[in-house]
Amino acid sequence: MHLSEEEEDYNLSLSKFESMLKTNKVLFFDSEEFEEIILHYLDMGKAALAKKALKLALEQHPKSTGLKLVQVEMLVYDDKLDLAERMLNELFAIEPTNEEIYIQKANIYSKRDQHEKAVELLETALLYTDDFADVYNLIGMEYLFMDNLELAKANFIRCLEEDFEDQAALYNVVYCFEFLDQNEEAIVYLTKYIDKNPYSEIAWHQVGRLNYGLKKYEEALRAFEYATLIDDEFLGAFMEKAKALERLKKYEEAIESYNRTIELDDPTSYALLRIGKCHEKLGNKAFALKFFNKTVHEDPLLDKGWIAITDFYVRQKNFQKALFYVNKALSIDNENRFYWKRYATINKEMNFFEEAEYGYRKAVEHGDFMLDTWLFWVDILQFLGEFESAVQTLLQASEYFPEAYEIEYRLAGLYFMLHHTDKGKFHLSNGLRLNFKNHTILEALFPVVWTRKLVQNTISKYLK
């Protein structure tokens, strides 16, 4: 890799400066060299070295406006805004047409959350600058801070018209389009952008992402393919391409694309999980299992991995194995509602009702408020003869699902079983009002209650 002359000079300046620090000899640098050195250290987050370089620079070039502006930048960086502003006012008296003064002033106003004022100053900077792209980009950022996404978008677009290779601006434009729910418009914009800059892998990747979001998987796939052709190490594009192939049921090709992401970087648990899912779809059970195991080995905290293995065995009706894995998962994270629900379901399948009841209770405790979870739990409580607990649980569930006929019919049955006739009748009427068609739930769950005269009379009133 050949460095340009500028880069070589810059590297020389840096090494010369660093050897000077080691030897304590004072060497001379011109002011521009110093600016580059200071900004380099600032970019690297080495503030102490940047300050050291600035001190030396100002000793050698006390009148340099460029260095003073760098000093202002460092003061802003340290949140010494009032001092920075005083310095800028002094510099403004000497060089009123220096765009950097307006940019730094805007930076100060931005830090004080006075974004309108910052925009005014940046618009003035446009009158004096040669680097329009940079200033438009800064204006775009200010509008982002103000949540004015239309104007932010317009300025990022102007920035790209000046410098169509500004990748940060490209990402920001797409972000604005997406935030404004203008995904179709974003694709139109990017397609025009690609006409000018056909080798922009980022633009192709974004077109793919947007199409994927719109469920246009063929178009998404084509865009991701271009992105990976332009940059055959573009990890994100290979990952998205694999997802699109999976959506199109092209499982073998999806596996290839996921494998490419593993070649490019350490295997991610997500890629391993998806490869397992693709193998399962292809009927390669042994391979599926192998990759699910790799997933949980790679990332034991990824619940989707444990869930994949557990569900795999449930589908095979191998409940012993499923229970073994869900217990393993719970030993790592015993507050995961997805694990507890599966623990309950598997135990129910194996007729371990006490354990199943415990599992559903824990699932709800940890935030599973799905209606079916409540109902499974209640039906097991009823089966275990714990009618009072079942009633309390249903009353809790009804706070989340006030209009659920499934809850009302169960409450009716339980109250009748507990000889609370009025409450039973009240909830039966609610159930019939909410959904008459499914009133046979009562017969299925409470055959003894179903045959009672009062119950049949109440139902017959709703038949008319």
Side-chain angles (χ1 to χ4, degrees), residues 304-317:
K304 289 190 176 81
W306 293 107
I307 287 167
I309 297 186
T310 306
D311 289 356
F312 176 86
Y313 281 119
V314 167
R315 278 194 287 275
Q316 307 295 316
K317 302 257 184 284

Side-chain angles (χ1 to χ4, degrees), residues 345-382:
T345 308
I346 295 160
N347 275 300
K348 189 175 80 173
E349 288 285 353
M350 296 168 82
N351 296 329
F352 299 151
F353 295 107
E354 304 271 352
E355 288 84 351
E357 186 275 323
Y358 180 70
Y360 287 125
R361 179 160 21 118
K362 296 299 271 184
V364 170
E365 239 173 66
H366 293 301
D368 179 347
F369 302 133
M370 306 265 296
L371 180 59
D372 71 337
T373 309
W374 290 104
L375 299 178
F376 285 138
W377 182 15
V378 167
D379 291 347
I380 286 180
L381 283 169
Q382 183 204 329

Side-chain angles (χ1 to χ4, degrees), residues 115-126:
H115 300 294
E116 285 96 342
K117 192 80 180 117
V119 168
E120 273 176 44
L121 286 156
L122 289 167
E123 282 174 344
T124 310
L126 281 172

Side-chain angles (χ1 to χ4, degrees), residues 203-360:
W204 280 113
H205 178 238
Q206 295 295 327
V207 168
R209 267 189 56 257
L210 290 157
N211 274 306
Y212 186 92
L214 295 166
K215 297 189 167 44
K216 296 181 177 175
Y217 302 121
E218 293 281 0
E219 289 90 332
L221 177 60
R222 195 163 58 245
F224 293 135
E225 277 179 338
Y226 278 119
T228 56
L229 282 170
I230 296 163
D231 177 357
D232 64 356
E233 294 191 354
F234 192 163
L235 189 102
F238 279 106
M239 190 67 91
E240 306 271 1
K241 179 180 163 183
K243 281 162 67 179
L245 285 161
E246 215 181 320
R247 291 283 188 180
L248 294 164
K249 298 187 170 34
K250 297 182 176 178
Y251 300 115
E252 271 113 342
E253 290 170 60
I255 290 170
E256 269 175 50
S257 204
Y258 284 125
N259 274 329
R260 182 77 182 112
T261 69
I262 290 170
E263 285 165 23
L264 288 169
D265 200 3
D266 293 335
T268 61
S269 52
Y270 178 81
L272 294 167
L273 175 68
R274 297 316 316 168
I275 292 172
K277 295 261 189 193
C278 288
H279 278 303
E280 194 177 357
K281 288 272 177 18
L282 291 165
N284 307 334
K285 288 177 186 167
F287 275 119
L289 207 49
K290 181 177 137 189
F291 279 96
F292 293 150
N293 277 309
K294 278 186 177 179
T295 304
V296 294
H297 181 74
E298 184 64 39
D299 181 1
L301 295 176
L302 180 78
D303 56 10
K304 289 190 176 81
W306 293 107
I307 287 167
I309 297 186
T310 306
D311 289 356
F312 176 86
Y313 281 119
V314 167
R315 278 194 287 275
Q316 307 295 316
K317 302 257 184 284
N318 187 341
F319 298 115
Q320 284 296 147
K321 271 275 175 72
L323 190 59
F324 170 77
Y325 278 102
V326 87
N327 277 326
K328 249 182 135 165
L330 281 166
S331 70
I332 292 167
D333 175 8
N334 68 354
E335 293 185 4
N336 187 308
R337 62 182 188 271
F338 302 110
Y339 296 165
W340 280 117
K341 186 166 184 174
R342 281 167 174 77
Y343 172 86
T345 308
I346 295 160
N347 275 300
K348 189 175 80 173
E349 288 285 353
M350 296 168 82
N351 296 329
F352 299 151
F353 295 107
E354 304 271 352
E355 288 84 351
E357 186 275 323
Y358 180 70
Y360 287 125

